Amino acid sequence: MANKTNKSNYSSEQITVLEGLEPVRKRPGMYIGGTGVEGLHHLVWEIVDNGIDEALAGYANEVVVTLLADGGVKVIDNGRGIPTDTHPKTGKSTVETVLTVLHAGGKFGGGGYKVSGGLHGVGVSVVNALSAKLTARIYRDGKIYEQLYEYGVPKTELKVVGKNDLTGTEIIFYPDETIFKETIEFNYETILDRLRHAAYLTKGVRTTLIDEASGKRYSFYFEGGIRSYVKHLNIGKEVLDEDIFYVDKTVDDVQVEISLQYTDAYTETIKTFANNVLNPDGGTHLTGFRSALTRVINDYARKQGLIKEKEENLSGEDTREGLTAIILVKLPDPQFEGQTKNKLGNPEVRGYVEAVLNEYLNYYLDEHPAIARKIIGKALLSARARKAARAARENIIRKGLLEGASMPGKLADCSSKDPKNSELYLVEGDSAGGSAKSGRDSKTQAILPLRGKVLNVERARLDKMLANNEILNLIKALGVGIEDSYDITGLRYDRIIIMTDADVDGAHISTLLMTFFFRFMKSIIDEGHLYLAKPPLFELVKPGRKTSLYAYSDEELDSILEKSIQERKVDESVVKDAKDERYKAAGFAEQKRYKGLGEMDAEQLFETTMNPEKRVLIKVNVDDAEKADAIFNKLMGTEVELRKNFIQSRAKFVKDLDI
Ligand code: 0RA
């Protein structure tokens, strides 16, 4: 294992003492990003990352998180244990110093470096400051030490409470509910996900999550590190070859780890990390990776005569189609760009990554000629398809099909010309489109009916969608152009609302549309313009048919019925006997289940799904590009079963599956 071990030893002096903990309690958001559920989980990451740092430095191989039944969290690692000696600057133990002094993690500046790093690598003291209670137990030098804290203030001395010959650190904390007003409940899945990734990125570390209340327990250990990660990302995809490329090389003081494998998908999934922190916007490691990949593949293809002398090179995009890759660099002093620190900035890293991939991918292709041929064949195919699609698009643009004042005939536009007061409903099917047109508020609401079948371009390249008539209408109606001519300032509607049936086809169409926006008009999603309408699933008709109640989920139906039954003081046993007749016991004349938008008349459609005063809209956000990508691949991929499962789970409220 090419783990980096620190050349110099830590000592107590290296811990930079900065300031007390009051600022953390005053402005928690500055340290953990916020006091909502994400901030709450940062407390866990902070401690876990310290344990992972010990593992990266070669001192630990296990981190265990336990969600205690009483609401606390226990994090144990088997590293060196926080030093218990007296700290020269504070005169207190190093344990107390680390826990009460801001930025006293001991892993900043000087000899050691913090590798995994939570949000800002702010340290354990922040967790202490934001916890109503915290217990630190240190296993070191044959002894067990313990110290208790409340709101960051020590309540006991650091005492020896027992003996054994383990080493490590155990922190138990109870988040302060006066800080985390929204919730102090931890999410098992969120923590599990984080521990899975930590294990992928740190070969040889076992991470475990235990939920005391339910008895659930899960451990991760990946011999292959990021190679296992690539394998995991490609589950359900058709891989070009089972073999996964992997290199781990340290140049000067920068460790470069890269793993990659191609699939037959059309999308690329490349994840970049610096010191185990994800860099969603890439940076210098990604740039180095891309240029080496393009170079190596083109050189190899030319050497083998797969690209002729006069032919042009494969583009970078072509070499990355279907690629899944993880790039992980570890460096002493990571610099990030921009407000969000999502992008690695160290210029030297580009050259390191480029050099490592150049050398080792070259070897790999030489040693695996069959795989090399498949990769190049795939890239050549991509180049050809891209050219054809470009020609088709240019044709469309040349013919002026996307511009000009005239709007598509199918669009029922709104009379307002101010985008701020305008919204566009994308409606599945011509018949629902008709109802929407007559029911709408024509001042502010525009309707564009889309024929689902036409959109249903399974296994087709998204490029092809641009040649689709329905999509052309959509692009034109939006007024933003496409690709090179894309300009969101031309957007004619503030809200774009996808309205489909609450069934499998509807879920499919809305996913395709979201995919389209994600791929070609991402800023529309980023800026919060894209929504899903939520049509009701049930109508409960009151006697005399004057008015109805609508339920948008099974749960809501249950709660309406329950409430009405209680109000009418109906004997529960009678009600239980006749499950399907509950609506009668609840005093309704009829219960209708809606299968599609088409079952509502224009007025009902407006009242239930389009009336701005009453409707339910779900804002689409794609902060989790991984999930979106998984959706594309499941829907576009060859694995019919996965696709079916996905659609069925998304349309979970649909009882009558018609696929
Ligand atoms: C300061 C110095 C050393 C280790 C640690 C802190 C440390 C902190 C945490 C928090 C959770 N687990 C931890 N493990 C270690 C260096 C130790 C040495 O030089 O012996």
PDB file of all heavy atoms in Angstrom, residues 96-130:
ATOM      1  N   GLU A  96      -7.326  17.707  25.850  1.00  0.00           N
ATOM      2  CA  GLU A  96      -8.179  18.861  26.156  1.00  0.00           C
ATOM      3  C   GLU A  96      -7.920  20.003  25.170  1.00  0.00           C
ATOM      4  O   GLU A  96      -8.839  20.710  24.757  1.00  0.00           O
ATOM      5  CB  GLU A  96      -7.950  19.329  27.597  1.00  0.00           C
ATOM      6  CG  GLU A  96      -8.925  20.428  27.982  1.00  0.00           C
ATOM      7  CD  GLU A  96      -8.873  20.778  29.469  1.00  0.00           C
ATOM      8  OE1 GLU A  96      -8.589  19.879  30.288  1.00  0.00           O
ATOM      9  OE2 GLU A  96      -9.129  21.946  29.792  1.00  0.00           O
ATOM     10  N   THR A  97      -6.668  20.136  24.770  1.00  0.00           N
ATOM     11  CA  THR A  97      -6.335  21.199  23.822  1.00  0.00           C
ATOM     12  C   THR A  97      -7.032  20.952  22.485  1.00  0.00           C
ATOM     13  O   THR A  97      -7.672  21.839  21.921  1.00  0.00           O
ATOM     14  CB  THR A  97      -4.804  21.263  23.632  1.00  0.00           C
ATOM     15  OG1 THR A  97      -4.201  21.353  24.920  1.00  0.00           O
ATOM     16  CG2 THR A  97      -4.419  22.456  22.782  1.00  0.00           C
ATOM     17  N   VAL A  98      -6.938  19.711  22.005  1.00  0.00           N
ATOM     18  CA  VAL A  98      -7.570  19.366  20.727  1.00  0.00           C
ATOM     19  C   VAL A  98      -9.084  19.580  20.801  1.00  0.00           C
ATOM     20  O   VAL A  98      -9.721  19.989  19.837  1.00  0.00           O
ATOM     21  CB  VAL A  98      -7.240  17.896  20.362  1.00  0.00           C
ATOM     22  CG1 VAL A  98      -8.154  17.376  19.277  1.00  0.00           C
ATOM     23  CG2 VAL A  98      -5.788  17.769  19.937  1.00  0.00           C
ATOM     24  N   LEU A  99      -9.649  19.334  21.990  1.00  0.00           N
ATOM     25  CA  LEU A  99     -11.105  19.394  22.121  1.00  0.00           C
ATOM     26  C   LEU A  99     -11.645  20.779  22.482  1.00  0.00           C
ATOM     27  O   LEU A  99     -12.853  21.004  22.421  1.00  0.00           O
ATOM     28  CB  LEU A  99     -11.575  18.375  23.159  1.00  0.00           C
ATOM     29  CG  LEU A  99     -11.721  16.964  22.578  1.00  0.00           C
ATOM     30  CD1 LEU A  99     -11.593  15.912  23.652  1.00  0.00           C
ATOM     31  CD2 LEU A  99     -13.060  16.823  21.852  1.00  0.00           C
ATOM     32  N   THR A 100     -10.775  21.677  22.893  1.00  0.00           N
ATOM     33  CA  THR A 100     -11.303  22.980  23.334  1.00  0.00           C
ATOM     34  C   THR A 100     -10.714  24.155  22.582  1.00  0.00           C
ATOM     35  O   THR A 100     -11.148  25.286  22.772  1.00  0.00           O
ATOM     36  CB  THR A 100     -11.044  23.214  24.841  1.00  0.00           C
ATOM     37  OG1 THR A 100      -9.636  23.087  25.075  1.00  0.00           O
ATOM     38  CG2 THR A 100     -11.806  22.229  25.693  1.00  0.00           C
ATOM     39  N   VAL A 101      -9.695  23.918  21.783  1.00  0.00           N
ATOM     40  CA  VAL A 101      -9.086  25.034  21.079  1.00  0.00           C
ATOM     41  C   VAL A 101      -9.346  24.890  19.585  1.00  0.00           C
ATOM     42  O   VAL A 101      -9.076  23.848  18.986  1.00  0.00           O
ATOM     43  CB  VAL A 101      -7.573  25.126  21.363  1.00  0.00           C
ATOM     44  CG1 VAL A 101      -6.977  26.332  20.652  1.00  0.00           C
ATOM     45  CG2 VAL A 101      -7.328  25.206  22.852  1.00  0.00           C
ATOM     46  N   LEU A 102      -9.898  25.939  19.026  1.00  0.00           N
ATOM     47  CA  LEU A 102     -10.259  25.931  17.618  1.00  0.00           C
ATOM     48  C   LEU A 102      -9.008  25.756  16.756  1.00  0.00           C
ATOM     49  O   LEU A 102      -7.972  26.345  17.050  1.00  0.00           O
ATOM     50  CB  LEU A 102     -10.927  27.267  17.316  1.00  0.00           C
ATOM     51  CG  LEU A 102     -11.854  27.325  16.111  1.00  0.00           C
ATOM     52  CD1 LEU A 102     -12.830  26.180  16.124  1.00  0.00           C
ATOM     53  CD2 LEU A 102     -12.567  28.658  16.141  1.00  0.00           C
ATOM     54  N   HIS A 103      -9.133  24.942  15.730  1.00  0.00           N
ATOM     55  CA  HIS A 103      -8.005  24.701  14.819  1.00  0.00           C
ATOM     56  C   HIS A 103      -6.818  24.075  15.510  1.00  0.00           C
ATOM     57  O   HIS A 103      -5.691  24.321  15.148  1.00  0.00           O
ATOM     58  CB  HIS A 103      -7.555  25.999  14.142  1.00  0.00           C
ATOM     59  CG  HIS A 103      -8.515  26.440  13.093  1.00  0.00           C
ATOM     60  ND1 HIS A 103      -8.356  27.597  12.378  1.00  0.00           N
ATOM     61  CD2 HIS A 103      -9.652  25.875  12.643  1.00  0.00           C
ATOM     62  CE1 HIS A 103      -9.362  27.721  11.535  1.00  0.00           C
ATOM     63  NE2 HIS A 103     -10.166  26.688  11.677  1.00  0.00           N
ATOM     64  N   ALA A 104      -7.094  23.261  16.537  1.00  0.00           N
ATOM     65  CA  ALA A 104      -5.997  22.587  17.199  1.00  0.00           C
ATOM     66  C   ALA A 104      -6.035  21.103  16.872  1.00  0.00           C
ATOM     67  O   ALA A 104      -5.781  20.264  17.698  1.00  0.00           O
ATOM     68  CB  ALA A 104      -6.068  22.801  18.700  1.00  0.00           C
ATOM     69  N   GLY A 105      -6.368  20.789  15.662  1.00  0.00           N
ATOM     70  CA  GLY A 105      -6.443  19.393  15.267  1.00  0.00           C
ATOM     71  C   GLY A 105      -5.094  18.716  15.281  1.00  0.00           C
ATOM     72  O   GLY A 105      -4.989  17.511  15.327  1.00  0.00           O
ATOM     73  N   GLY A 106      -4.034  19.491  15.269  1.00  0.00           N
ATOM     74  CA  GLY A 106      -2.703  18.902  15.288  1.00  0.00           C
ATOM     75  C   GLY A 106      -2.253  18.501  13.914  1.00  0.00           C
ATOM     76  O   GLY A 106      -1.158  17.995  13.722  1.00  0.00           O
ATOM     77  N   LYS A 107      -3.101  18.694  12.946  1.00  0.00           N
ATOM     78  CA  LYS A 107      -2.752  18.220  11.622  1.00  0.00           C
ATOM     79  C   LYS A 107      -2.722  19.376  10.644  1.00  0.00           C
ATOM     80  O   LYS A 107      -2.944  19.224   9.461  1.00  0.00           O
ATOM     81  CB  LYS A 107      -3.756  17.156  11.200  1.00  0.00           C
ATOM     82  CG  LYS A 107      -3.856  16.080  12.265  1.00  0.00           C
ATOM     83  CD  LYS A 107      -4.582  14.879  11.797  1.00  0.00           C
ATOM     84  CE  LYS A 107      -4.505  13.802  12.883  1.00  0.00           C
ATOM     85  NZ  LYS A 107      -5.185  12.609  12.491  1.00  0.00           N
ATOM     86  N   PHE A 108      -2.491  20.561  11.165  1.00  0.00           N
ATOM     87  CA  PHE A 108      -2.401  21.727  10.294  1.00  0.00           C
ATOM     88  C   PHE A 108      -0.985  22.274  10.313  1.00  0.00           C
ATOM     89  O   PHE A 108      -0.356  22.302  11.348  1.00  0.00           O
ATOM     90  CB  PHE A 108      -3.327  22.828  10.791  1.00  0.00           C
ATOM     91  CG  PHE A 108      -4.752  22.456  10.654  1.00  0.00           C
ATOM     92  CD1 PHE A 108      -5.383  21.764  11.675  1.00  0.00           C
ATOM     93  CD2 PHE A 108      -5.461  22.747   9.513  1.00  0.00           C
ATOM     94  CE1 PHE A 108      -6.696  21.394  11.556  1.00  0.00           C
ATOM     95  CE2 PHE A 108      -6.782  22.380   9.394  1.00  0.00           C
ATOM     96  CZ  PHE A 108      -7.393  21.702  10.422  1.00  0.00           C
ATOM     97  N   GLY A 109      -0.557  22.757   9.168  1.00  0.00           N
ATOM     98  CA  GLY A 109       0.747  23.418   9.094  1.00  0.00           C
ATOM     99  C   GLY A 109       1.849  22.476   9.528  1.00  0.00           C
ATOM    100  O   GLY A 109       1.613  21.336   9.885  1.00  0.00           O
ATOM    101  N   GLY A 110       3.041  22.951   9.472  1.00  0.00           N
ATOM    102  CA  GLY A 110       4.162  22.189   9.994  1.00  0.00           C
ATOM    103  C   GLY A 110       4.322  20.835   9.334  1.00  0.00           C
ATOM    104  O   GLY A 110       4.083  20.692   8.140  1.00  0.00           O
ATOM    105  N   GLY A 111       4.706  19.859  10.112  1.00  0.00           N
ATOM    106  CA  GLY A 111       5.102  18.569   9.562  1.00  0.00           C
ATOM    107  C   GLY A 111       3.978  17.738   9.004  1.00  0.00           C
ATOM    108  O   GLY A 111       4.020  17.304   7.862  1.00  0.00           O
ATOM    109  N   GLY A 112       2.941  17.519   9.802  1.00  0.00           N
ATOM    110  CA  GLY A 112       1.894  16.600   9.350  1.00  0.00           C
ATOM    111  C   GLY A 112       0.933  17.300   8.426  1.00  0.00           C
ATOM    112  O   GLY A 112       0.933  18.512   8.319  1.00  0.00           O
ATOM    113  N   TYR A 113       0.103  16.547   7.710  1.00  0.00           N
ATOM    114  CA  TYR A 113      -0.957  17.229   6.991  1.00  0.00           C
ATOM    115  C   TYR A 113      -2.258  16.475   7.101  1.00  0.00           C
ATOM    116  O   TYR A 113      -2.298  15.263   7.186  1.00  0.00           O
ATOM    117  CB  TYR A 113      -0.575  17.499   5.536  1.00  0.00           C
ATOM    118  CG  TYR A 113      -0.400  16.302   4.643  1.00  0.00           C
ATOM    119  CD1 TYR A 113      -1.501  15.681   4.053  1.00  0.00           C
ATOM    120  CD2 TYR A 113       0.866  15.821   4.357  1.00  0.00           C
ATOM    121  CE1 TYR A 113      -1.334  14.603   3.212  1.00  0.00           C
ATOM    122  CE2 TYR A 113       1.036  14.738   3.515  1.00  0.00           C
ATOM    123  CZ  TYR A 113      -0.062  14.132   2.946  1.00  0.00           C
ATOM    124  OH  TYR A 113       0.111  13.076   2.114  1.00  0.00           O
ATOM    125  N   LYS A 114      -3.299  17.276   7.124  1.00  0.00           N
ATOM    126  CA  LYS A 114      -4.616  16.695   7.249  1.00  0.00           C
ATOM    127  C   LYS A 114      -5.010  16.181   5.884  1.00  0.00           C
ATOM    128  O   LYS A 114      -5.014  16.918   4.910  1.00  0.00           O
ATOM    129  CB  LYS A 114      -5.596  17.759   7.734  1.00  0.00           C
ATOM    130  CG  LYS A 114      -6.974  17.236   7.941  1.00  0.00           C
ATOM    131  CD  LYS A 114      -7.683  18.014   9.034  1.00  0.00           C
ATOM    132  CE  LYS A 114      -9.125  17.553   9.148  1.00  0.00           C
ATOM    133  NZ  LYS A 114      -9.237  16.312   9.894  1.00  0.00           N
ATOM    134  N   VAL A 115      -5.330  14.924   5.805  1.00  0.00           N
ATOM    135  CA  VAL A 115      -5.574  14.351   4.496  1.00  0.00           C
ATOM    136  C   VAL A 115      -7.038  14.257   4.138  1.00  0.00           C
ATOM    137  O   VAL A 115      -7.476  14.762   3.117  1.00  0.00           O
ATOM    138  CB  VAL A 115      -4.890  12.975   4.373  1.00  0.00           C
ATOM    139  CG1 VAL A 115      -5.415  12.236   3.166  1.00  0.00           C
ATOM    140  CG2 VAL A 115      -3.385  13.155   4.246  1.00  0.00           C
ATOM    141  N   SER A 116      -7.824  13.641   4.979  1.00  0.00           N
ATOM    142  CA  SER A 116      -9.206  13.420   4.535  1.00  0.00           C
ATOM    143  C   SER A 116     -10.029  14.705   4.630  1.00  0.00           C
ATOM    144  O   SER A 116     -10.721  15.059   3.705  1.00  0.00           O
ATOM    145  CB  SER A 116      -9.846  12.299   5.326  1.00  0.00           C
ATOM    146  OG  SER A 116     -10.011  12.660   6.661  1.00  0.00           O
ATOM    147  N   GLY A 117      -9.933  15.377   5.745  1.00  0.00           N
ATOM    148  CA  GLY A 117     -10.520  16.720   5.840  1.00  0.00           C
ATOM    149  C   GLY A 117     -12.013  16.774   5.677  1.00  0.00           C
ATOM    150  O   GLY A 117     -12.528  16.485   4.615  1.00  0.00           O
ATOM    151  N   GLY A 118     -12.728  17.166   6.707  1.00  0.00           N
ATOM    152  CA  GLY A 118     -14.181  17.355   6.600  1.00  0.00           C
ATOM    153  C   GLY A 118     -14.440  18.590   5.778  1.00  0.00           C
ATOM    154  O   GLY A 118     -13.666  18.896   4.880  1.00  0.00           O
ATOM    155  N   LEU A 119     -15.491  19.323   6.115  1.00  0.00           N
ATOM    156  CA  LEU A 119     -15.860  20.487   5.318  1.00  0.00           C
ATOM    157  C   LEU A 119     -14.671  21.428   5.139  1.00  0.00           C
ATOM    158  O   LEU A 119     -14.271  21.759   4.051  1.00  0.00           O
ATOM    159  CB  LEU A 119     -17.024  21.213   5.978  1.00  0.00           C
ATOM    160  CG  LEU A 119     -17.532  22.431   5.210  1.00  0.00           C
ATOM    161  CD1 LEU A 119     -18.064  22.018   3.850  1.00  0.00           C
ATOM    162  CD2 LEU A 119     -18.585  23.157   5.999  1.00  0.00           C
ATOM    163  N   HIS A 120     -14.107  21.850   6.244  1.00  0.00           N
ATOM    164  CA  HIS A 120     -12.914  22.696   6.162  1.00  0.00           C
ATOM    165  C   HIS A 120     -11.828  22.156   7.063  1.00  0.00           C
ATOM    166  O   HIS A 120     -10.909  22.849   7.411  1.00  0.00           O
ATOM    167  CB  HIS A 120     -13.235  24.129   6.571  1.00  0.00           C
ATOM    168  CG  HIS A 120     -14.385  24.698   5.819  1.00  0.00           C
ATOM    169  ND1 HIS A 120     -15.549  25.050   6.414  1.00  0.00           N
ATOM    170  CD2 HIS A 120     -14.540  24.934   4.500  1.00  0.00           C
ATOM    171  CE1 HIS A 120     -16.387  25.487   5.506  1.00  0.00           C
ATOM    172  NE2 HIS A 120     -15.804  25.424   4.336  1.00  0.00           N
ATOM    173  N   GLY A 121     -11.964  20.915   7.463  1.00  0.00           N
ATOM    174  CA  GLY A 121     -11.005  20.350   8.386  1.00  0.00           C
ATOM    175  C   GLY A 121     -10.970  21.150   9.677  1.00  0.00           C
ATOM    176  O   GLY A 121      -9.921  21.515  10.176  1.00  0.00           O
ATOM    177  N   VAL A 122     -12.138  21.460  10.222  1.00  0.00           N
ATOM    178  CA  VAL A 122     -12.191  22.394  11.335  1.00  0.00           C
ATOM    179  C   VAL A 122     -11.845  21.759  12.679  1.00  0.00           C
ATOM    180  O   VAL A 122     -11.530  22.464  13.618  1.00  0.00           O
ATOM    181  CB  VAL A 122     -13.558  23.084  11.435  1.00  0.00           C
ATOM    182  CG1 VAL A 122     -13.694  24.116  10.351  1.00  0.00           C
ATOM    183  CG2 VAL A 122     -14.673  22.084  11.378  1.00  0.00           C
ATOM    184  N   GLY A 123     -11.910  20.454  12.754  1.00  0.00           N
ATOM    185  CA  GLY A 123     -11.441  19.830  13.972  1.00  0.00           C
ATOM    186  C   GLY A 123     -12.514  19.386  14.943  1.00  0.00           C
ATOM    187  O   GLY A 123     -13.665  19.789  14.874  1.00  0.00           O
ATOM    188  N   VAL A 124     -12.047  18.535  15.847  1.00  0.00           N
ATOM    189  CA  VAL A 124     -12.929  17.920  16.827  1.00  0.00           C
ATOM    190  C   VAL A 124     -13.501  18.950  17.800  1.00  0.00           C
ATOM    191  O   VAL A 124     -14.570  18.756  18.360  1.00  0.00           O
ATOM    192  CB  VAL A 124     -12.131  16.857  17.623  1.00  0.00           C
ATOM    193  CG1 VAL A 124     -13.064  15.916  18.350  1.00  0.00           C
ATOM    194  CG2 VAL A 124     -11.236  16.062  16.701  1.00  0.00           C
ATOM    195  N   SER A 125     -12.774  20.065  18.001  1.00  0.00           N
ATOM    196  CA  SER A 125     -13.236  21.065  18.968  1.00  0.00           C
ATOM    197  C   SER A 125     -14.588  21.644  18.551  1.00  0.00           C
ATOM    198  O   SER A 125     -15.405  21.996  19.401  1.00  0.00           O
ATOM    199  CB  SER A 125     -12.210  22.184  19.105  1.00  0.00           C
ATOM    200  OG  SER A 125     -12.036  22.833  17.867  1.00  0.00           O
ATOM    201  N   VAL A 126     -14.820  21.704  17.243  1.00  0.00           N
ATOM    202  CA  VAL A 126     -16.094  22.234  16.758  1.00  0.00           C
ATOM    203  C   VAL A 126     -17.242  21.307  17.173  1.00  0.00           C
ATOM    204  O   VAL A 126     -18.310  21.753  17.590  1.00  0.00           O
ATOM    205  CB  VAL A 126     -16.048  22.426  15.222  1.00  0.00           C
ATOM    206  CG1 VAL A 126     -17.423  22.700  14.662  1.00  0.00           C
ATOM    207  CG2 VAL A 126     -15.099  23.553  14.872  1.00  0.00           C
ATOM    208  N   VAL A 127     -16.999  20.011  17.073  1.00  0.00           N
ATOM    209  CA  VAL A 127     -18.011  19.039  17.492  1.00  0.00           C
ATOM    210  C   VAL A 127     -18.283  19.214  18.985  1.00  0.00           C
ATOM    211  O   VAL A 127     -19.432  19.228  19.426  1.00  0.00           O
ATOM    212  CB  VAL A 127     -17.531  17.598  17.197  1.00  0.00           C
ATOM    213  CG1 VAL A 127     -18.591  16.587  17.626  1.00  0.00           C
ATOM    214  CG2 VAL A 127     -17.193  17.441  15.720  1.00  0.00           C
ATOM    215  N   ASN A 128     -17.210  19.385  19.737  1.00  0.00           N
ATOM    216  CA  ASN A 128     -17.345  19.563  21.186  1.00  0.00           C
ATOM    217  C   ASN A 128     -18.165  20.816  21.498  1.00  0.00           C
ATOM    218  O   ASN A 128     -19.086  20.786  22.314  1.00  0.00           O
ATOM    219  CB  ASN A 128     -15.946  19.650  21.801  1.00  0.00           C
ATOM    220  CG  ASN A 128     -15.959  19.436  23.305  1.00  0.00           C
ATOM    221  OD1 ASN A 128     -16.913  18.870  23.856  1.00  0.00           O
ATOM    222  ND2 ASN A 128     -14.915  19.890  23.974  1.00  0.00           N
ATOM    223  N   ALA A 129     -17.843  21.900  20.805  1.00  0.00           N
ATOM    224  CA  ALA A 129     -18.527  23.173  21.059  1.00  0.00           C
ATOM    225  C   ALA A 129     -20.027  23.062  20.799  1.00  0.00           C
ATOM    226  O   ALA A 129     -20.825  23.727  21.449  1.00  0.00           O
ATOM    227  CB  ALA A 129     -17.928  24.263  20.180  1.00  0.00           C
ATOM    228  N   LEU A 130     -20.406  22.204  19.853  1.00  0.00           N
ATOM    229  CA  LEU A 130     -21.812  22.132  19.438  1.00  0.00           C
ATOM    230  C   LEU A 130     -22.540  20.924  20.034  1.00  0.00           C
ATOM    231  O   LEU A 130     -23.623  20.567  19.587  1.00  0.00           O
ATOM    232  CB  LEU A 130     -21.895  22.119  17.906  1.00  0.00           C
ATOM    233  CG  LEU A 130     -21.230  23.340  17.231  1.00  0.00           C
ATOM    234  CD1 LEU A 130     -21.281  23.216  15.720  1.00  0.00           C
ATOM    235  CD2 LEU A 130     -21.904  24.648  17.684  1.00  0.00           C
TER     236      LEU A 130
END
